[in-house]
Amino acid sequence: MVNSLLHVFRNNAFGRETFMQSLYFCKTLDFTLRVYIPRHSKFLMYFENEVTQVDLDQSYLSDPETAQEHVEALAKKAGVSVDFLTPKDFTASTLPDVPIGFDCMCCPRSMSDKTSRIGLGYVGPKVRRIAVAAPFPVLVTSLCYKPWNSVAVFFGGSANAFKALSMGLSLSRRSGMPLDLFTIEEGDVNRETLDNLLQAREMTSVVEEGVREWHFLSKSKLEDNLYEIPPDALTVIGAYGHGMIREALFGSKLEVIQSQIINNMMIVGPKCRVF
Amino acid sequence: MTPKNIAGMAKRLFFLRHEKVALLLAGVLVGCCSGVAAAGLSFAIEHLSELCAHAKHYWWVFVLPGVGAALSSLFLNKIVREGAGHGVPEIIYAVSRRGGLLRFRSSFSRLVSSCLTIGSGGSAGPEAPVVMSGSAIGSNIAQRLGFPSRHRITLVGCGAAAAIASIFNAPIAGIVFTLEVVLGEWTAVNVIPIGVASVAGTQVGRLLMGNSIRFSHAHFSPGTWDIAAAFGLALATALVSVALSRMIRSSGKMWGKLPASKMSRAFVGGACVGLVGLFFPQVLGEGYNQIYSLIHGQYSPGLVLLCAILGLKMLVTATTLGSGGSGGIFAPGLVVGSFTGVAYFRLLSLMVDVGHLAPEGCYALLGMAGIMGGMLQAPLTGLFLVVDITSGYEVILPLIVVSLVSSSVCRYFESDSFYLKDLKAEGGLIRPGTDERVLEDLQVSEVLEHNLIPLNNHMTLADLVAQVKSSHRNHFPVLDVKTNEFLGMIDLAKVRPYLFNRELYGTVLVVDIMDHFPPAVSPDERLTDVLELMDRIQAFSLPVISGKRFLGMVSKGTLLDHYRRELIVQTTY
């Protein structure tokens, strides 16, 4: 089975960094790369039970004549074959429907905001909505091209964390890179309860075989624990498994993590399937 | 039958009943929300129109429709970034291709934009925007409640029906419009919740806006001669319908070519409408007052002026909608229809004695049905809309004639209705009960066959023969040994002569006998297109290629297996 990654190309220096990250991802995991060069400032993605409109800033539409050329040059250099995606369906004449039959989608930190805002470290609302609704994970890239040499999974025992763990195991297996687990100890989340949960799901042996090291981080502030994450790891995190109210009250760990570390990050949403 | 089976059946029946109850309750909720939206829009347009009327003595009043249209465009394109057209085609597209998924922003965006356009004097109707809003409300409620796509489509229909029902105080027209135009199918599953939603929407509208027939009129008693005259009117309305549809479409294309921003175009278009309105204020806004005068026989201008106003109304409607104003064609269609009916009657009176015919107000009603039936190519919608909004059941016989004949004649000139023409041309329309509809829910990835044995470019014929022995497939993809890229395809039917020539086994490479450029499909291809390609080139299977990577094969057999399963799913409920 050949998997594919969707990349929405932005024809500027920042877009090049993101694209190189996608190329690296595809080369490492033997994915095919589908590139969408936008011709309109917005597009729709129809998921199973939700439609998401992605509003792009003008930088995505800059210099369309050279966009394909740039993509091909970078892809050739990386030795990755590229397939350009041309939307066939349009909800309105300037509103193309981008298909969703991919196994992963690459998004910069915020697809909606202007390039200058991307460094603020905020998973934009559209990226969040895609991650919530999509059957694929979202690869949120680091600000500049940064190859990864290991996989780091945040594992807290929730249903989505298990999905992230499975994804991490798959990524590790396919890339041949080591996998480390990171658990932030709080409340009931400790080694014993997680071992029990793994046993209940019959994953103990898989984890023992596939995980290089399981780190338990116990500092009271979440941010303080993140120093332990290897800077060259692809971090995998299950996200958006809880409701908006809970998130509004207690905040989102994902937002904190991604604003504190600049690693490439894979967000595994509640409807995501593991490749 | 075992007790387990009985229990299973009971559980299933219970679930089905509950699902239907849930759908009905959701239909009521959607109907009420759509009713509120319709009432809100109606109030807002009324108040904005009153506000703009205060400025009618100033010379600059003509720019008001321009300002309204520009603000409408600004709101739609820059603030809510809707990026879509007049609404109804988008709903039909969502129903037909996207399982009824509509964006949340659509539930309010058109209300605001059409209020600005129509309230400031633009010639458009509030119905399409409120239908868009109601449908989006239905879709989003269905999404939040987790209804499957078939129920989501029904709830989109509930929103559309309730919107029409509420804004016109016309429950039957709401139901008929939804089934005939939006959904394109009449099933018991759809009719019940849509009917309930229509009742809810109408009642909410009556509570908020009062229970009055929009165009109440004197009693008409059309006779045999009126039925005969209705045929002529049907022809006239058909021609006017075709002209109006084409004018709106051409206007959109013409304004679209202007090298200016959408907002500037809307402003200029609105200002042009305002200029016409300085001399002919009758053509501005919804125009319901004109309909009222025409039905009551109180419209004094003579035939020539009447025809001029009719032409101008068509022109300003095309300008308003084409230049980027927001609104629908129902209200202008009704106004144009009533003008056409009265003009026809007056023309007839010049040629024959009309003493034994019904009054001209009756022909205004007939004209409305003719235009609606013609433009929408939905005769029942035109018919019931006019019956509902005029309470004119006594004119039902000529109404049927006008509506049916106008619709049929229009079909002769325009293969598809105003709403469906562009949609169909772009492949966005798939009606229920068609192959396309069944295949639409399937993706190439779902029917992909992976059980193929890949060969590489270093392999010889002997290697191929060895693989043939262990495979039941007739196709073998050839991949580059280094890059894994797809190079070509071996089709056993084409290479059979080589297989029996043992002398070639060690000397011929698979790349020498493979098909280097086999017809292939991409993973995004529609399955209808895949089947069409298979039929055209008489192939039973095709490789699926993404970039230069081989993903698998898609074959007719597997595709038809999935088709059958999908058909069962779609027709079980």
Side-chain angles (χ1 to χ4, degrees), chain A residues 1-4 30-34 41-42 44 46-53 55-57 79-86 88-95 97 99 101-102 126 129, chain B residues 77 80-85 90 93-94 97-98 101-105 142-144 146-147 152 262 426-427 440 445 448 450 484-485 522-526 529 545-551:
Chain A
M1 176 73 187
V2 180
N3 300 107
S4 58
D30 193 28
F31 269 49
T32 59
L33 182 55
R34 311 287 310 276
S41 62
K42 43 192 168 285
L44 293 182
Y46 284 92
F47 298 109
E48 192 188 351
N49 196 34
E50 190 172 340
V51 52
T52 299
Q53 179 172 325
D55 297 314
L56 305 166
D57 61 63
V80 174
S81 72
V82 173
D83 186 14
F84 289 97
L85 177 86
T86 311
K88 290 189 172 71
D89 298 318
F90 286 77
T91 294
S93 56
T94 57
L95 197 52
D97 305 345
F102 309 100
K126 293 301 177 292
R129 284 194 68 184
Chain B
N77 296 307
V80 290
R81 297 175 68 99
E82 181 75 69
E90 193 184 330
Y93 174 78
R97 299 291 307 270
R98 301 294 176 195
L101 283 173
L102 288 163
R103 290 164 291 167
F104 175 72
R105 67 188 76 183
Q143 288 171 43
R144 298 294 165 262
F147 278 106
R152 194 163 53 224
K262 285 180 180 173
E426 289 156 9
E440 181 59 23
S445 58
L448 211 55
H450 301 288
N484 252 357
E485 287 179 357
S522 85
D524 309 323
E525 211 86 44
R526 289 180 193 154
D529 295 338
I545 309 292
S546 173
K548 291 176 184 169
R549 299 293 297 272
F550 175 78
L551 303 184

Side-chain angles (χ1 to χ4, degrees), chain B residues 65-66 69 255 263-275 316 319-320 323-324:
Chain B
W255 284 96
M263 209 172 97
S264 314
R265 272 183 236 153
F267 176 77
V268 175
C272 290
V273 170
L275 266 180
V316 297
T319 307
T320 301
S323 63

